[in-house]
Amino acid sequence: MDRAQCTTQLVELLQQAVSREAEGGGATIAATSDLIGPNATISSLGLVSFIADAEILLEEEHGLEVTLVSESALSRSRSPFQSISTLVDYIVELESNGGGNAD
Amino acid sequence: MPTEELDPGDGVRPLDVDCSADVRAVVSMHEAHFPEATEVRCGPRFMTRFYFPFLIRRGWMGCLVARRDGRIVAYLTYTKFPRRILKAAARARPLYVLWNVALACLTRFDAIRAITKHARAAFQPSAASGAPTIPPDAGEVLFLAAMPEHQTWTPPGGDARVTARLFAEAQNRFRAEGVSRVLLVVRKTNTASMLFCHSMGCSIDKTASHPVYHHFWHDIPEVDEA
């Protein structure tokens, strides 16, 4: 999987989700924009929908069938959902483990 | 629980249990978002006349509401008696609690099953039920819900969205009450709530082994983050 390409695709996907949520407005998204926490660019429900879309994108565009939200992902000291960058790191890790969860 | 002057304007405040319209608004949201909850299955009378007013007035439960354009659009309930709020109330006011439970059971068959299940869980040891051991200085966020169309709203007086703001306000109240850890019980199928807990800095209790629920813990920071 091309890391840079995946990052660009996810940034675009998140930008669409944020625009949808803000009804056409919303912040400009970067790979470092917060996905969670007090400064999150998207609501938790919006994040769920973004993650579901990301899983579809990964399968369709990169042939990678993964479940991004899992107990192991939520238990990590460094959250994979902090930003697009950390999410891509996590996806790369899942890919190197042959998909599924990086337990 | 702390008491303060109530202001009907927009923002986050404690529920005024003397305002029946507000109690009914919270009960309506509670029914819509948590149809499986024990108190919901006991019926609206149980909630409007007993569950919310009684538990809040006696200090066993707190309820924060977020009001937008005069309407309650989100709420959060919390307690200093995690996993045993009704048990604590029943011990302190057994006749009154029994009377209200009996009324609910007489009028709604579903209430009997809900109360039986609740009582069994409340009196079962944590290890046997798959629930975590509760430390003495723990509290619990019981329920948190926001109307879907208001979830991205940022209430005045802060930068956080409504659900994060309610959580931060509850955290402040817990801190004032000497609570240092907060339990959140989330269905394993509820991805949105799991991500919300995760985004608030909660961690999964890996010692708990409940088949249906994840138990998240949140450590209360020493300083006010609201």
Side-chain angles (χ1 to χ4, degrees):
Chain A
M1 187 182 70
D2 182 332
R3 198 183 190 287
Q5 186 197 5
C6 182
T7 303
T8 307
Q9 288 173 327
L10 290 181
V11 167
E12 280 173 16
L13 203 60
L14 182 61
Q15 186 71 67
Q16 287 166 14
V18 168
S19 298
R20 230 176 8 246
E21 202 168 66
E23 294 174 353
T28 302
I29 300 302
T32 51
S33 301
D34 286 354
L35 293 177
I36 60 171
N39 301 317
T41 49
I42 193 162
S43 69
S44 52
L45 271 188
L47 181 59
V48 173
S49 144
F50 162 71
I51 284 172
D53 290 344
E55 286 177 349
I56 293 168
L57 182 141
L58 289 170
E59 188 173 355
E60 289 180 350
E61 302 280 327
H62 301 277
L64 188 60
E65 199 175 327
V66 287
T67 303
L68 295 176
V69 179
S70 65
E71 186 173 342
S72 64
L74 297 177
S75 303
R76 291 179 167 219
S77 52
R78 181 172 177 255
S79 172
F81 307 107
Q82 195 58 52
S83 66
I84 296 285
S85 281
T86 58
L87 185 59
V88 172
D89 289 343
Y90 182 59
I91 292 165
V92 169
E93 189 184 329
L94 290 176
E95 187 189 31
S96 66
N97 289 343
N101 295 321
D103 283 317
Chain B
M1 304 289 170
T3 55
E4 57 206 67
E5 283 293 309
L6 296 169
D7 179 342
D10 282 3
V12 172
R13 284 169 192 86
L15 170 68
D16 177 4
V17 287
D18 293 320
C19 176
S20 56
D22 283 1
V23 173
R24 278 199 305 273
V26 172
V27 165
S28 272
M29 286 186 70
H30 201 53
E31 287 173 319
H33 285 88
F34 305 102
E36 296 299 317
T38 303
E39 60 280 6
V40 173
R41 291 166 71 186
C42 287
R45 185 206 173 276
F46 183 85
M47 286 189 286
T48 52
R49 297 198 189 179
F50 168 72
Y51 183 78
F52 281 100
F54 178 69
L55 294 181
I56 290 172
R57 281 197 189 106
R58 295 286 175 173
W60 284 304
M61 185 170 81
C63 179
L64 298 168
V65 294
R67 192 184 295 275
R68 187 180 192 186
D69 299 330
R71 183 180 173 208
I72 291 175
V73 297
Y75 73 100
L76 176 150
T77 58
Y78 61 98
T79 181
K80 286 191 300 176
F81 303 91
R83 314 314 292 154
R84 57 190 161 91
I85 181 170
L86 284 178
K87 188 174 162 185
R91 279 193 172 150
R93 296 283 184 279
L95 288 179
Y96 187 64
V97 173
L98 190 64
W99 165 249
N100 280 281
V101 167
L103 264 185
C105 291
L106 282 172
T107 51
R108 292 171 73 98
F109 180 71
D110 205 23
I112 301 173
R113 275 186 299 185
I115 292 283
T116 309
K117 192 176 166 188
H118 186 91
R120 200 181 297 138
F123 287 95
Q124 199 175 23
S126 295
S129 65
T133 305
I134 311 288
D137 59 346
E140 180 179 4
V141 168
L142 298 165
F143 297 99
L144 168 61
M147 289 179 176
E149 63 272 32
H150 298 284
Q151 281 174 357
T152 55
W153 174 54
T154 301
D159 298 327
R161 288 198 178 89
V162 63
T163 47
R165 176 70 179 282
L166 282 166
F167 191 83
E169 293 287 346
Q171 189 173 269
N172 290 340
R173 282 165 167 76
F174 276 130
R175 187 186 300 108
E177 298 277 325
V179 170
S180 63
R181 297 195 86 194
V182 179
L183 176 69
L184 296 98
V185 183
V186 179
R187 273 185 187 271
K188 290 181 176 179
T189 51
N190 189 344
T191 311
S193 292
M194 288 200 293
L195 279 172
F196 176 79
C197 291
H198 183 66
S199 74
M200 292 294 109
C202 307
S203 53
I204 290 181
D205 187 331
K206 290 183 173 176
T207 65
S209 58
H210 198 281
V212 179
Y213 299 105
H214 274 314
H215 295 81
F216 284 85
W217 285 105
H218 179 73
D219 292 320
I220 306 267
E222 286 179 11
V223 290
D224 181 348
E225 290 182 341

